[in-house]
Amino acid sequence: GLTFSEFVRRERLARARAVLRSKAFADVSIAEIAYRFGFFDSAHFSNMFKRYYKISPSEFRRRG
């Protein structure tokens, strides 16, 4: 029941979430991760991430 654009957005967020969790990318900024997954505005990425996961990307990363 998802639109194609919604499906793509969820996939991009899920992949970004995996990168945020990875210790190998601990030195990569959240803005850079956002850009790598097609979000050209890090604030938009943060808002979408928080909408889907109920936690900000920075807090998610901090909690590990």
Side-chain angles (χ1 to χ4, degrees):
L2 298 175
T3 65
F4 179 73
S5 61
E6 183 68 20
F7 171 78
V8 170
R9 182 180 304 114
R10 285 187 181 196
E11 284 297 310
R12 290 171 29 214
L13 285 167
R15 291 175 186 191
R17 184 176 183 228
V19 168
L20 285 168
R21 182 181 291 147
S22 172
K23 299 294 182 199
F25 294 94
D27 61 332
V28 178
S29 72
I30 291 172
E32 177 62 29
I33 292 169
Y35 298 140
R36 287 183 184 191
F37 289 95
F39 294 92
F40 298 106
D41 179 352
S42 60
H44 178 67
F45 168 71
S46 292
N47 289 333
M48 290 291 102
F49 192 95
K50 192 168 185 176
R51 180 185 296 173
Y52 284 96
Y53 298 116
K54 309 300 184 215
I55 188 171
S56 70
S58 57
E59 184 64 25
F60 178 81
R61 179 180 257 181
R62 232 185 334 271
R63 292 183 183 183

